[in-house]
């Protein structure tokens, strides 16, 4: 039977009666019942809850096709139980004239105010109900309302109180970039976070700490994310930062879990196009140094960017294949064009074994950035108890860079990934079995226009009193590849009560991952230096004074990670404990790492309104391929020195007397870095708001650092040899007060959702977090356990963080929906307190008579700053699916200092971007 009804601003809906015709009063839905439902199809859970609750429920059954409900265990009213299982489904429960209705969630149709119902029990496997971890959870609907910037998943973490961004990743000088920003979670290194898509890691295990604006002859610039996911194409994102369940491993910071879209049981299509221009952005710069693109050199070919054009477009569609299966396909392209000024002029190249002059034109030349995402998922509900998801994803990032002052210096740098994943879920009598299999290939590749580097140098003379130098060429072709195969099995048991009255919900799992890394130089790369006289742009009396060769070769390393994990959610009265343990072992470090984890909640008054949360956990980090492949990067480096024309080097490498320049002699015994965590929190429900006061303390041990191996600065054969050790040490504290409304507020004819936090953080580390695990101090006999800071010698582990170091931060988000006018307005206000930062602009040292040579740091003070970002969206009924939005960042155009840096023997300021506009049009069919 179908009926039609309207109420307020609701449009007529065609609904089918899903339960018996008995009509009962709405009060029956408020009676608490005991539920113990496994994860299963949403239709099955809805039918069971409505049967037990004896409520009249109206819905279109086709809306539930292809959807899954999370496991539900505990005492709830039928109304609350239905609301719990609908979280993340795109559906909502509303009350119409005493009858409950399930409909498509639409913020433009008014928001449901939930009753003041306190609940007990545990809903497994959904971050919205995880009180112990309290992760950040962002849905696709919320993403569509927020300021998303370049569309990276890190852009969604800007208001996460546990997350710090690198000081200088996004400033007014590099707004043309579209790569994800680096983030630190509770003071850990950015490359020690775990990134997962549908349960599968997409971390890049080569050295990813570099910001992406500088490369060398021996390494590629990359990122800690192996795939640059477009946040607008995902279903949800969850960031775990404390009391993290044992299912997650391979991090010392946190876990970022990204879930892709799944077929919702109906056909639909969605598309968007957005753009911004440098003319729509106020780019602040240091008054002593403008944003001059001619200053970009080989070491940093894109430091200065005064113009850019960005265009983003993409979308997705869902299509049913059969009654129980369907596909989702999504695609997007993010692109940026960055005009640069090239100086042109005269230079030299090698032709027919001769040094020949060339002339290049000056003028404008474009650098470019392009990021493509493609995703395909096929979902099949095999039965009411089984489902299968098969997915493929491909992401490609391509950049074109060059030095503005060096001829033929252009190169193409690509970063791409291809992955395949299968997820099978089956409901057994004991619980749900989940099996995930995956394979993934990541690749970084650099191709240069000129396959060698040539420097022609004229020494000072009476005719030429100043040193002249002409350069051409790039850094050489390189390639790195990472291949991963994985298998993971998890058994999530149903809730059971033992003889002592304890309720248990265990989770048991195991996984194995094989990783192989390959470093490839497909041909010898040469850096030539000619010395002579340059007269009228010709070289006279020149000879080959130096040649550096990097020999071709392919080097590989692989390892296998094994893990088993077990935890149990134990409930007794007001107390809920989650003890667990995770065992990890890989055949790279050849150690078995045992990570115990314990967290719990205590419901003080038994009504869910006041809860105490505490935890003690250990997290082990990642094994990095760079450790195993570092020797390969410089192992083939050789050098030839020519003293004069009679003892010059030759262009024929077979005629040269080569000196090997190896700087590495293999790995010493390494341990896996780990963090120990203590947490304490109080969560309080007040009226329709949830308040949480939380303290997190982290101690970092066995962090890997790079140092000289031998104490002999006078021996040329050993003074440059380096090694890795586990001498890194850090500590971090975070105190956060957060508040959010547990149900939308209704005033001024609008629904309002608020989220706010105030955070204090402090990080100390003896290893700079922004330098990567291949960071190296070339000085010999440096005492790495002490540093000179702000006029005195201190323990290196007490050195304030050199990046990711804002100590005080206030975040406020407010989303308001006027359904009568089809308008959504999002606002984000952020304030950062003043900070003191440890800086080492000139890489200087301090000699202490007692402790020896020390790295010398000074204190740099930065003022407080704030920004206001906003987004206004409009999707009118008469536009037939079209919507429009304008996004404004830093609406007040505040000139905020981001960082300071060394350039041409001067310390310059970099600034956050000023006011910036994005425009977007979208279409939903």
């Amino acid at each position: 039977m179908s009926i039609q009804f309207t109420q307020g601003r609701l449009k007529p809906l065609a609904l089918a009666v899903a339960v018996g015709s008995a009509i009962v009063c709405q009060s029956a839905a408020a009676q608490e019942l005991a539920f113990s439902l496994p994860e299963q199809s949403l239709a099955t859970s809805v039918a069971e809850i409505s049967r037990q609750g004896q409520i009249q429920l109206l819905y279109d059954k086709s809306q539930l096709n292809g959807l899954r409900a999370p496991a539900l265990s505990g005492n709830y009213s039928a109304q609350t139980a239905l609301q719990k299982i609908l979280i993340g489904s795109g559906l909502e429960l509303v009350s119409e004239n005493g009858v409950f209705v399930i409909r498509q969630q639409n913020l433009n149709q008014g928001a449901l105010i939930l009753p003041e119902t306190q609940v007990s029990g545990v809903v497994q496997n959904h971050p919205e109900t995880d009180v112990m971890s309290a992760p950040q959870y962002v849905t696709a609907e919320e993403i569509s309302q927020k300021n998303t910037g370049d569309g990276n998943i890190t852009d969604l973490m800007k208001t996460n109180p546990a997350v710090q961004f690198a000081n200088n990743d996004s400033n007014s000088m590099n707004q043309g970039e579209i790569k994800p920003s680096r983030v630190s979670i509770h003071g850990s290194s950015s490359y020690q976070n775990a990134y997962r898509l549908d349960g599968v890691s997409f971390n890049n295990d080569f050295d990813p700490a570099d910001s992406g604006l500088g490369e060398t002859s021996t390494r590629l610039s990359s990122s800690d994310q192996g795939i640059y996911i477009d946040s607008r194409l995902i279903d949800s994102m969850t960031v775990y930062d404390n009391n993290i369940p044992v299912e997650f491993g391979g991090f010392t910071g946190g876990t970022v879990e990204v879930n892709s879209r799944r077929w919702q049981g109906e056909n639909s299509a969605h598309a968007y196009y957005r753009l911004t221009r440098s003319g729509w952005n106020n780019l602040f710069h240091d008054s002593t140094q403008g944003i001059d693109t001619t200053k970009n050199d080989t070491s940093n070919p894109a430091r200065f960017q005064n113009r850019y054009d960005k265009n983003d477009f993409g979308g997705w569609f869902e299509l049913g294949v059969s009654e129980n299966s369907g596909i989702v396909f999504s695609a997007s392209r993010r692109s940026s064009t960055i005009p640069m000024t090239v100086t042109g002029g005269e230079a030299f190249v090698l032709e027919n074994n001769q040094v020949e002059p060339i002339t290049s034109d000056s003028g404008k030349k474009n650098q470019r950035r392009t990021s493509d995402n493609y995703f395909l998922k096929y979902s099949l509900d095999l039965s009411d108890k089984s489902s299968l998801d098969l997915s493929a994803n491909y992401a490609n990032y391509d950049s074109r860079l060059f030095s503005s002052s060096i001829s033929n210096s252009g190169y193409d740098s690509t970063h791409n990934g291809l992955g395949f994943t299968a997820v099978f879920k089956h409901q057994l009598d004991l619980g749900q079995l989940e099996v995930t299999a995956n394979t993934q290939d990541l690749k970084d590749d650099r191709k240069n226009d000129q396959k060698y580097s040539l420097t022609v140098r004229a020494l000072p003379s009476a005719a030429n009193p100043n040193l002249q130098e002409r350069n051409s060429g790039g850094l050489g072709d390189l390639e790195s590849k990472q291949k991963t195969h994985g298998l993971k099995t998890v058994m999530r048991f149903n809730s059971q009560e033992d003889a002592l009255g304890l309720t248990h919900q265990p989770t048991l799992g195991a996984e194995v991952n094989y990783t192989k890394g390959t470093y490839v130089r497909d041909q010898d790369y040469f850096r030539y230096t000619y010395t002579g006289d340059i007269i009228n742009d010709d070289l006279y009396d020149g000879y080959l004074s130096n040649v550096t060769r990097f020999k071709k070769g392919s080097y590989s390393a692989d390892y296998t990670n094994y893990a088993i994990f077990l935890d149990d959610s134990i409930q007794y009265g007001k107390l809920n404990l989650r003890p667990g343990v995770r065992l990890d072992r890989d055949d790279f470090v050849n150690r078995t790492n045992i990570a115990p984890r314990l967290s719990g909640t205590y419901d003080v008054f038994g009504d869910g309104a006041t809860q105490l949360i505490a935890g003690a956990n250990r997290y082990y980090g990642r094994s990095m391929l760079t450790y195993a492949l570092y020797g390969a990067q410089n192992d083939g480096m050789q050098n030839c020195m020519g003293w004069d024309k009679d003892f010059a080097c030759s262009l024929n490498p077979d005629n040269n007397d080569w000196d090997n320049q190896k700087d590495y002699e293999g790995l010493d015994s390494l341990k896996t870095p780990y963090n120990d965590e203590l947490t304490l929190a109080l969560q309080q429900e007040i009226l329709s708001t949830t308040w949480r006061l939380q303290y997190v303390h982290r101690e970092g041990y066995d962090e890997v650092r790079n140092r000289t191996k031998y104490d002999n600065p006078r021996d040329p054969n050993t003074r440059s040899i380096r090694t890795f050790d586990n001498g890194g040490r850090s500590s971090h504290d975070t105190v956060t007060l957060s508040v959010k409304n547990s149900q939308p507020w209704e005033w001024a004819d609008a629904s309002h959702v608020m989220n706010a936090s105030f955070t204090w953080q402090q990080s100390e580390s003896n290893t700079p977090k922004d330098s990567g695990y291949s960071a190296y101090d070339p000085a010999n006999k440096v005492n790495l356990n002490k540093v000179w800071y702000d006029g005195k010698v201190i323990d290196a582990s007490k050195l304030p963080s050199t990046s990711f170091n804002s100590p005080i931060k206030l975040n406020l988000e407010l989303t308001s929906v006027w359904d009568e006018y089809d308008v959504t307005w999002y606002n984000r206000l952020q304030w950062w307190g003043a900070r003191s930062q440890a800086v080492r602009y000139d890489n200087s040292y301090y000699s202490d008579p007692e402790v020896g040579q020390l790295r010398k740091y000074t204190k740099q003070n930065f003022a407080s700053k704030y920004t206001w970002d906003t987004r206004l969206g409009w999707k009118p009924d008469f536009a037939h699916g079209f919507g429009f939005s304008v996004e404004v960042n830093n609406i007040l155009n505040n000139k905020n200092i981001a960082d300071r840096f060394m350039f041409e023997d001067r310390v310059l300021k970099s600034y956050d971007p000023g006011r910036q506009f994005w425009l977007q049009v979208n279409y939903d069919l």
Side-chain angles (χ1 to χ4, degrees), residues 143 147-158 165 177-182 195 223 225 227-232 234 237 258 274 310 312 334 371 373 397:
I143 294 172
N147 292 46
T148 55
D150 292 315
N152 297 299
I153 59 174
T154 50
D155 293 326
L156 304 178
M157 305 181 200
K158 288 189 174 180
F165 282 73
E177 301 300 327
I178 59 176
K179 291 176 69 173
S181 297
R182 297 166 295 168
Y195 291 94
S223 173
Q225 297 177 40
I227 297 175
Y228 301 158
I229 292 175
D230 191 331
S231 65
R232 292 175 287 263
I234 66 176
M237 182 195 74
V258 179
R274 50 189 276 117
K310 288 184 178 181
D312 296 354
R334 293 168 283 175
S371 182
N373 272 241
Y397 172 83

Side-chain angles (χ1 to χ4, degrees), residues 85 275 429 607 618 662 788 839:
I85 67 170
L275 74 160
D429 291 339
D607 58 0
R618 174 168 291 185
K662 182 175 69 172
W788 187 94
V839 298

